[in-house]
Amino acid sequence: MSAAVGVTDVSKRYRLYHERNQSLKASVMRGRRAKYEEFWALRDVSLEVPEGTAFGLIGENGSGKSTLLKCMARILRPDSGRIATEGKVSALLELGAGFHPELSGRENVYLNGSILGLGKRELRSRFDDIVGFAGLEQFIDAPVKNYSSGMYVRLGFSVAINVDPDILLIDEVLAVGDAEFQRRCGDKFAELRSQGKTIVIVTHALSTVKEMCDGAALLEHGHLIEVGDAHDVVDRYLGDVFAPADGAGATTASNVERVELLDAAGRPASGLRTGDPVTLRFHYAIPDTLHEPVLSASIHHLDGLEVARPSVRVEAAGGPRGCVDLHIERFPLLSGTYDVTAALTSAGAPIGVPDRAHALRITVDRGADADSHGVVALDGRWETVTNEVAP
Amino acid sequence: MTRLAELAESRELLANLTLRELRGRYKRSVLGWGWSLLNPLTAIATYWVVFGVFLKVEPPVGHPSGLHNYALFLVCALLPWTFFQSAVESSPETLISNGNLIKKVYFPREILVISASTSILVTFLVESTVLLVLLLIAGNMVLPWIPVLILLIAIEYLLVLGLALILSVCNVYFRDVKHFVSLALRILFYAVPVVYPVTLVPEHKTILGIDLPLRTLYQINPLVPLVDCFRSVLYDLRFPDLGQLAYVTGWAVALLALGWWVFSRLEPRLAEEV
Ligand SMILES: Nc1ncnc2c1ncn2[C@@H]1O[C@H](COP(=O)(O)OP(=O)(O)OP(=O)(O)O)[C@@H](O)[C@H]1O
Ligand SMILES: [Mg+2]
């Protein structure tokens, strides 16, 4: 497999103008050009997107994802380094990829198609597909300025994929479409990939990246932090974002002082495997103000999904401090990273969002006979049915 | 050279963008395309009343056509001037107003400038056709001169394009260009023989004791011989002066080359500056 997009040592510098000379008066007053500072939006980024794969670019706001994508699309020229692309590139960047608001959807399809490099004849033969995919047959003769932002994106996306690109670059736009359209996009992506096309997508929807992408790259302040398997890169990013506070995450706020993970023998454990017997031990201190205290624990997957919230009534028996164990005979969660948080509240009171900065982080490895996908081990039993009469 | 090849591949895009300009220009206005004729007609009427009727500028007699009519004398120069003026005046805005496109799609950016100039050229061609009809009605047999007219229009187009390339890209980096251009154009109008004949400018004039060849200095401006050439063909029905023609062509080629060079120098950072 060769690289569809090869990025080699790419750096991109922007100029930040303090005050732009936009009027004659301002420039006469200040002299020649406006002053500016330089700012590196990308610094020595190297990566390869293999042909026929879907690739995600992730990172926090302003980390340089769009900049990198625009460099791939040749809209921006890097200050140093090289970008090599193999085949026809089509880019869909943000809302309204160059639509003219006064013109109708139909006119814009032709205009946009030719901007993206389609000939008139090709466009005419694909016109119905384009409009059909966007689902805008009824509105195609209305000026696009009257479109909703979702409709705008649908039409733009529909043109961009019907250009029949070898490489499709997408920035953040799909989130605007409705559920139905997103499903159609998902199908279309699958189709494109089965045809050996390459997709590079910038998004903050990390579950999409995990689901759809084979590879991913994580950018931070213009530097490439990690590139590799999409699952690993997303987990790395989430791990950075929700990093437990220093001190190995043994303290929790909100009256629960400590959470411990113990193995079957009652020894502190650092990791475990699906199906292992484990104990979660919670150390708490009940404040005077709390009546009928309830300890609620919460287990989050790194993606943000809360997988369980066990709770128990606790008593202030000998004093305000106490300790309660949660024994789990066969740990049901599949491999991944989970955060355990806990809080004491009054019975019946709502529980706030647990502060994940104070979580106990546990890493679960794949157990002997656990599934490789999903979140929980169902612990079910398969049985072949032999006496069922076929319909 | 790869740039040129790329440009050649984008012919269709050029056509579409030009159409967009033309369609977008009068969209949602009641008169629509009527405006593109009404505008020059208003200008003609105004100048004719002011200079022809009030100030009584005496038009020369066309030689060999024998035509003697101030309004036609005016229009033969006013149309090429209007083409120059509207193309150059709008050029600084071309890239900025298409910023959205530049920031989101890759295509050779020159196309935007070329299509903007071309859409104004189309208007000019329509107006010229009307002028040809008027001249025929007035008894000037211009039909055999159409090839020469087309040559002149082509030369002017190249000249305009060269300037537009420079002005459009410079204005992105230095937004004063736009204001400077509209100021310069206002002065230039009177420095070009549109409302008066060239002969009105004295050959020599003594200023501060120095004898200046005023007419020669005046003709350094390539628009002067250009407008003169248009008049020779349309009003006088005579082949333009070859020296003048060569001079204007030289300017057009030089400006186009310069424009191309400046544009390619400043183009790489366009997407982040517009
Ligand atoms: N035209 C520009 N001029 C100056 N600075 C810019 C320009 N475009 C982007 N930047 C800066 O470059 C940095 C990277 O921007 P970029 O748009 O690539 O971020 P991003 O990763 O796509 O962020 P987001 O997730 O918010 O879309 C930001 O700090 C931004 O302010
Ligand atoms: Mg972005």
Side-chain angles (χ1 to χ4, degrees):
Chain A
M1 234 180 349
S2 61
V5 185
V7 178
T8 321
D9 293 326
V10 165
S11 298
K12 175 70 203 169
R13 186 172 48 189
Y14 284 124
R15 293 178 178 178
L16 294 176
Y17 292 90
H18 296 308
E19 211 177 325
R20 211 184 231 290
N21 289 351
Q22 287 196 334
S23 69
L24 194 60
K25 182 173 140 253
S27 62
V28 169
M29 308 267 287
R30 207 174 307 113
R32 276 191 68 246
R33 287 210 56 176
K35 295 201 169 45
Y36 60 85
E37 253 175 46
E38 298 200 320
F39 167 82
W40 290 95
L42 287 177
R43 210 67 210 258
D44 296 325
V45 172
S46 298
L47 56 88
E48 278 196 352
V49 180
E51 206 178 304
T53 61
F55 194 87
L57 287 176
I58 58 176
E60 55 196 53
N61 293 136
S63 54
K65 305 179 296 294
S66 301
T67 305
L68 181 56
L69 206 69
K70 284 180 180 177
C71 288
M72 290 177 179
R74 296 212 287 163
I75 292 166
L76 294 175
R77 198 168 304 177
D79 290 285
S80 67
R82 266 179 310 109
I83 292 192
T85 48
E86 197 66 53
K88 187 163 167 183
V89 179
S90 171
L92 187 59
L93 305 174
E94 297 148 32
L95 275 175
F99 283 160
H100 191 298
E102 292 284 348
L103 299 184
S104 71
R106 180 185 303 275
E107 289 167 313
N108 268 306
V109 166
Y110 280 99
L111 180 65
N112 214 234
S114 71
I115 290 172
L116 295 175
L118 272 188
K120 202 173 204 121
R121 206 165 317 125
E122 293 168 289
L123 262 170
R124 202 168 295 145
S125 65
R126 289 180 205 178
F127 187 81
D128 291 335
D129 286 348
I130 294 176
V131 179
F133 187 84
L136 290 174
E137 291 90 344
Q138 267 180 291
F139 301 94
I140 199 64
D141 286 308
V144 296
K145 65 173 179 183
N146 295 345
Y147 283 20
S148 72
S149 35
M151 286 159 71
Y152 226 80
V153 167
R154 286 157 75 131
L155 195 59
F157 181 72
S158 190
V159 178
I161 50 169
N162 278 295
V163 166
D164 203 12
D166 298 308
I167 303 170
L168 183 61
L169 309 173
I170 300 172
D171 194 344
E172 208 88 74
V173 285
L174 298 181
V176 191
D178 55 22
E180 151 72 7
F181 186 69
Q182 297 205 1
R183 185 190 58 76
R184 251 191 285 175
C185 290
D187 293 350
K188 190 72 194 182
F189 285 147
E191 186 190 321
L192 287 176
R193 281 174 59 192
S194 68
Q195 294 166 355
K197 306 297 169 79
T198 310
I199 301 169
V200 181
I201 176 165
V202 168
T203 180
H204 291 287
L206 298 170
S207 51
T208 312
V209 176
K210 276 193 169 181
E211 241 166 66
M212 262 187 40
C213 297
D214 309 290
L218 171 60
L219 289 172
E220 194 180 299
H221 302 303
H223 293 272
L224 184 70
I225 301 294
E226 193 166 318
V227 53
D229 176 70
H231 276 256
D232 297 346
V233 176
V234 170
D235 281 347
R236 163 75 195 267
Y237 176 47
L238 286 168
D240 287 351
V241 174
F242 300 112
D246 284 345
T251 59
T252 64
S254 52
N255 308 320
V256 177
E257 292 166 335
R258 221 143 59 85
V259 184
E260 280 181 295
L261 179 71
L262 307 174
D263 64 13
R267 286 183 304 253
S270 55
L272 73 159
R273 302 197 314 164
T274 308
D276 283 353
V278 292
T279 298
L280 286 170
R281 176 164 294 171
F282 301 88
H283 300 265
Y284 57 86
I286 303 171
D288 300 337
T289 50
L290 210 58
H291 302 291
E292 300 187 16
V294 172
L295 183 140
S296 303
S298 178
I299 304 178
H300 278 89
H301 190 262
L302 260 191
D303 282 356
L305 172 72
E306 187 175 32
V307 286
R309 186 183 285 185
S311 61
V312 64
R313 190 63 218 278
V314 289
E315 309 276 344
R321 286 176 186 281
C323 189
V324 61
D325 276 355
L326 173 63
H327 298 291
I328 303 168
E329 243 163 74
R330 292 169 58 79
F331 193 76
L333 298 181
L334 296 182
S335 63
T337 307
Y338 300 88
D339 282 343
V340 184
T341 52
L344 281 186
T345 50
S346 304
I351 308 166
V353 179
D355 182 0
R356 290 177 64 184
H358 298 283
L360 167 73
R361 169 152 302 176
I362 53 183
T363 312
V364 180
D365 289 322
R366 193 173 162 192
D369 46 25
D371 306 321
S372 57
H373 283 76
V375 184
V376 294
L378 285 180
D379 242 352
R381 188 172 53 85
W382 292 101
E383 186 188 313
T384 312
V385 179
T386 48
N387 54 359
E388 181 85 2
V389 183
Chain B
M1 277 310 108
T2 50
R3 294 260 312 275
L4 272 182
E6 211 172 14
L7 212 55
E9 270 176 32
S10 314
R11 278 184 316 254
E12 201 143 353
L13 174 59
L14 176 62
N16 273 321
L17 284 174
T18 309
L19 275 178
R20 180 187 76 163
E21 289 284 326
L22 289 171
R23 283 199 194 123
R25 193 181 299 163
Y26 299 113
K27 205 125 208 173
R28 299 188 23 133
S29 66
V30 179
L31 275 183
W33 272 87
W35 283 111
S36 69
L37 287 180
L38 207 59
N39 281 334
L41 281 178
T42 318
I44 292 165
T46 316
Y47 293 130
W48 175 63
V49 169
V50 174
F51 295 99
V53 180
F54 294 169
L55 294 176
K56 297 205 169 40
V57 175
E58 188 56 26
V61 179
H63 172 75
S65 69
L67 194 65
H68 189 81
N69 179 319
Y70 180 74
L72 286 175
F73 175 79
L74 173 74
V75 184
C76 291
L78 189 64
L79 291 190
W81 162 261
T82 312
F83 169 47
F84 177 85
Q85 188 240 332
S86 23
V88 170
E89 183 143 45
S90 61
S91 67
E93 286 293 314
T94 312
L95 294 174
I96 293 173
S97 60
N98 283 295
N100 219 12
L101 213 53
I102 294 177
K103 277 189 268 188
K104 285 173 188 162
V105 201
Y106 174 77
F107 58 95
R109 276 70 168 90
E110 300 89 326
I111 296 273
L112 286 173
V113 181
I114 301 178
S115 71
S117 304
T118 308
S119 75
I120 296 174
L121 173 72
V122 171
T123 316
F124 178 37
L125 290 178
V126 173
E127 292 166 356
S128 300
T129 316
V130 176
L131 173 61
L132 288 182
V133 173
L134 289 180
L135 285 169
L136 283 176
I137 293 172
N140 244 21
M141 189 53 204
V142 283
L143 294 183
W145 295 97
I146 288 181
V148 189
L149 177 66
I150 290 175
L151 174 72
L152 288 179
I153 292 177
I155 294 172
E156 184 175 6
Y157 177 66
L158 295 185
L159 187 98
V160 160
L161 195 58
L163 268 178
L165 281 170
I166 299 172
L167 296 175
S168 61
V169 76
C170 285
N171 191 57
V172 172
Y173 293 88
F174 194 52
R175 311 259 163 142
D176 303 74
V177 168
K178 182 179 80 183
H179 306 286
F180 172 76
V181 165
S182 61
L183 199 74
L185 281 172
R186 235 173 295 158
I187 300 169
L188 205 56
F189 175 70
Y190 291 98
V192 174
V194 176
V195 290
Y196 56 88
V198 184
T199 46
L200 216 66
V201 180
E203 296 266 7
H204 285 269
K205 193 166 172 81
T206 310
I207 298 172
L208 299 173
I210 309 164
D211 181 48
L212 288 176
L214 199 61
R215 176 82 63 84
T216 315
L217 289 178
Y218 173 76
Q219 283 175 327
I220 288 178
N221 173 5
L223 290 176
V224 175
L226 180 69
V227 162
D228 232 17
C229 288
F230 271 99
R231 246 185 207 142
S232 300
V233 172
L234 295 174
Y235 190 77
D236 298 327
L237 297 183
R238 130 173 90 79
F239 199 84
D241 181 76
L242 278 180
Q244 282 191 336
L245 200 60
Y247 180 72
V248 177
T249 312
W251 265 93
V253 171
L255 271 178
L256 190 63
L258 181 69
W260 183 268
W261 181 76
V262 170
F263 198 91
S264 23
R265 283 296 301 270
L266 294 177
E267 173 249 12
R269 288 191 28 259
L270 267 186
E272 61 209 77
E273 294 274 355
V274 290

